[in-house]
Amino acid sequence: MDSLRVATYNIHKGVQGLGPARRLEIHNLGHAVEQFDADIVCLQEVRGVNRKMQRLFSHWPTGGQANFLAPEGYEAVYRSNVVTRHGEHGNALLSRWPVLEHRHHDVTDHRFERRGLLHATVQVQQRTVHVVVLHLSLIHASRARQVQALGRFLQVHVPETEPLVVAGDFNDWGVQLHRPMAEFGLRTFEDLRLPTFPSRLPLLHLDRVYVRGLHLLHAHVPHGLAWRRMSDHLPLIAHLGWT
């Protein structure tokens, strides 16, 4: 195995539209995840449970969206960031390879936005790969502090000698987080324009894959009518090489 294929996707809780036009997209998202053919899939805005949506949609999947979206043979890991009146949602990781351990780390910066990191250690053949799935704040100052919290977390939990992938929705429509991420040895595809939001007319590069101890080979964003319908974001798929 000479490369690692990683996808990141904000699935908008598996539902699109408003009011009477609201529609369930989680089944289409399941087919989309299979099409990635990725070794690791990082998902944001994943519902663990939502009783209101369960009553509204007769085909609402049981057992949580992460398990539902995992292709056959994949392992699913889900950790909640937000608990609401009707349920909860957070980050998830789907892995073709065995997950050795996983943990959640709260990086909430203010009471109006609950945020967290999902850290998983994955055994890819003879290599131990660390993956962090995140969804950062809508406010730049909060994002900057959350990146610093990420850096402190990595210093404690991720050895510098082991490959690391940090992927998710950074909500960074400029390149303001590149420098602080680089301070922790994390690099991304700076030479590629990969806008993922909004899905109907992608202009902003909100979704990213950063790596340490891996080569950045190539990345692409799928386009087309089906992708525009499934979520307000488009997925990003990255190909990474071993050092």
Side-chain angles (χ1 to χ4, degrees), residues 1-106:
M1 181 180 176
D2 57 1
S3 66
L4 188 71
R5 187 177 174 102
V6 176
T8 183
Y9 198 9
N10 182 325
I11 67 166
H12 200 246
K13 303 168 190 169
V15 176
Q16 278 290 86
L18 298 171
R22 190 161 40 187
R23 63 185 186 276
L24 186 62
E25 288 289 342
I26 195 69
H27 299 86
N28 292 327
L29 287 163
H31 295 304
V33 168
E34 284 188 315
Q35 289 182 46
F36 296 157
D37 191 27
D39 297 288
I40 296 168
V41 181
C42 304
L43 301 173
Q44 306 84 49
E45 294 196 19
V46 180
R47 279 183 163 133
V49 64
N50 189 281
R51 290 172 288 275
K52 182 179 179 180
M53 293 294 107
Q54 203 166 1
R55 291 192 298 269
L56 182 64
F57 295 108
S58 59
H59 292 91
W60 187 264
T62 59
Q65 291 182 341
N67 288 321
F68 179 81
L69 292 173
E72 185 176 356
Y74 280 60
E75 190 169 345
V77 175
Y78 165 82
R79 297 303 293 266
S80 174
N81 291 335
V82 182
V83 177
T84 66
R85 176 184 173 188
H86 298 290
E88 60 178 56
H89 63 269
N91 299 322
L93 177 140
L94 314 178
S95 176
R96 174 179 277 149
W97 301 94
V99 177
L100 303 179
E101 61 177 343
H102 60 87
R103 59 172 58 87
H104 174 268
H105 181 62
D106 193 338

Side-chain angles (χ1 to χ4, degrees), residues 14 52 61 165 240:
K52 182 179 179 180
V165 177
L240 311 172

Side-chain angles (χ1 to χ4, degrees), residues 8-235:
T8 183
Y9 198 9
N10 182 325
I11 67 166
H12 200 246
K13 303 168 190 169
V15 176
Q16 278 290 86
L18 298 171
R22 190 161 40 187
R23 63 185 186 276
L24 186 62
E25 288 289 342
I26 195 69
H27 299 86
N28 292 327
L29 287 163
H31 295 304
V33 168
E34 284 188 315
Q35 289 182 46
F36 296 157
D37 191 27
D39 297 288
I40 296 168
V41 181
C42 304
L43 301 173
Q44 306 84 49
E45 294 196 19
V46 180
R47 279 183 163 133
V49 64
N50 189 281
R51 290 172 288 275
K52 182 179 179 180
M53 293 294 107
Q54 203 166 1
R55 291 192 298 269
L56 182 64
F57 295 108
S58 59
H59 292 91
W60 187 264
T62 59
Q65 291 182 341
N67 288 321
F68 179 81
L69 292 173
E72 185 176 356
Y74 280 60
E75 190 169 345
V77 175
Y78 165 82
R79 297 303 293 266
S80 174
N81 291 335
V82 182
V83 177
T84 66
R85 176 184 173 188
H86 298 290
E88 60 178 56
H89 63 269
N91 299 322
L93 177 140
L94 314 178
S95 176
R96 174 179 277 149
W97 301 94
V99 177
L100 303 179
E101 61 177 343
H102 60 87
R103 59 172 58 87
H104 174 268
H105 181 62
D106 193 338
V107 293
T108 299
D109 187 66
H110 57 85
R111 65 190 182 92
F112 299 107
E113 287 184 303
R114 302 294 305 179
R115 304 290 183 180
L117 310 176
L118 167 59
H119 170 230
T121 307
V122 181
Q123 186 71 42
V124 182
Q125 293 182 335
Q126 303 305 313
R127 301 176 175 92
T128 299
V129 180
H130 295 262
V131 184
V132 175
V133 188
L134 51 71
H135 185 186
L136 297 187
S137 171
L138 297 170
I139 302 169
H140 171 66
S142 292
R143 291 194 295 272
R145 287 188 287 268
Q146 287 164 347
V147 168
Q148 294 305 311
L150 167 68
R152 293 190 295 271
F153 177 86
L154 297 179
Q155 288 177 340
V156 175
H157 295 287
V158 181
E160 292 188 2
T161 56
E162 295 180 349
L164 167 64
V165 177
V166 180
D169 180 355
F170 286 79
N171 272 317
D172 180 28
W173 47 86
V175 292
Q176 294 172 298
L177 296 183
H178 283 357
R179 181 176 294 178
M181 293 289 281
E183 292 175 0
F184 308 120
L186 288 157
R187 299 171 297 111
T188 190
F189 297 91
E190 296 187 42
D191 56 339
L192 293 177
R193 188 174 182 276
L194 299 164
T196 55
F197 183 87
S199 58
R200 292 186 177 276
L201 183 63
L203 299 172
L204 304 177
H205 188 168
L206 301 188
D207 304 275
R208 300 181 186 273
V209 174
Y210 287 85
V211 301
R212 188 175 74 190
L214 289 157
H215 289 307
L216 298 163
L217 299 179
H218 182 65
H220 71 279
V221 175
H223 291 274
L225 178 60
W227 295 105
R228 294 199 299 266
R229 285 181 52 85
M230 284 186 284
S231 173
D232 58 343
H233 287 245
L234 295 174

